[in-house]
Amino acid sequence: MEKVTPFLMFQDGKAEEAMNYYISLIEDSDITSITRYGANESGDEGTVMQATFSLKGQEFMCIDSNVTHQFTFTPSFSIFLTCDSDEEIESLYKKLLEDGEALMPIDDYGFSKKFGWVNDRFGVSWQLNLPS
């Protein structure tokens, strides 16, 4: 086994938009590769056949699904971020919540100084933590 990489499957051609959004929010992050569907291939031309991106050194893979599935993302799998300051957790939570859904508002739940959980506009779940 070479490595383990989280994999995100987007529908409606949103993979590239999501990657660009995520790397704009998190420092030291970038898109490392994109392969797009071409004309007469099994996906919509120009959408993401396969891509990799990195958030603070953690690599992710993603695709635009060319098949409509009866499922999407679920909060049972989430991206967990440990924040360094009040400003960072508040800013990230606010930005990820835009057109998303609050699962747990930022608060002190007893296990950390501040914690918040949100599904972003793409349906990806994020847990934001500011340790005590």
Side-chain angles (χ1 to χ4, degrees):
M1 182 181 304
E2 187 177 319
K3 63 181 172 177
V4 176
T5 306
F7 186 94
L8 302 172
M9 181 187 70
F10 293 88
Q11 296 191 48
D12 302 323
K14 299 288 186 184
E16 188 167 5
E17 180 184 346
M19 287 187 298
N20 282 315
Y21 183 63
Y22 300 152
I23 67 169
S24 77
L25 296 179
I26 300 171
E27 291 179 10
D28 303 322
S29 301
D30 63 347
I31 296 172
T32 51
S33 72
I34 299 179
T35 303
R36 300 176 197 287
Y37 287 105
N40 303 317
E41 292 187 320
S42 62
D44 292 339
E45 185 174 0
T47 61
V48 175
M49 182 186 294
Q50 183 179 44
T52 57
F53 64 103
S54 174
L55 302 177
K56 283 283 196 192
Q58 173 63 56
E59 185 178 71
F60 292 82
M61 293 178 68
C62 68
I63 63 168
D64 282 316
S65 178
N66 59 344
V67 175
T68 301
H69 296 280
Q70 298 303 311
F71 57 86
T72 186
F73 299 112
T74 170
S76 66
F77 181 86
S78 59
I79 300 171
F80 189 94
L81 299 176
T82 302
C83 297
D84 292 328
S85 67
D86 283 323
E87 295 79 21
E88 183 177 48
I89 193 170
E90 295 286 345
S91 175
L92 283 171
Y93 187 89
K94 182 179 176 184
K95 290 174 183 174
L96 289 166
L97 186 58
E98 291 173 8
D99 297 323
E101 172 190 15
L103 300 177
M104 292 176 74
I106 290 181
D107 204 349
D108 179 348
Y109 292 98
F111 52 83
S112 71
K113 181 178 175 182
K114 280 189 173 180
F115 177 85
W117 197 338
V118 62
N119 283 346
D120 69 22
R121 69 180 91 174
F122 305 102
V124 175
S125 185
W126 299 78
Q127 294 186 61
L128 307 177
N129 186 52
L130 181 63
S132 300

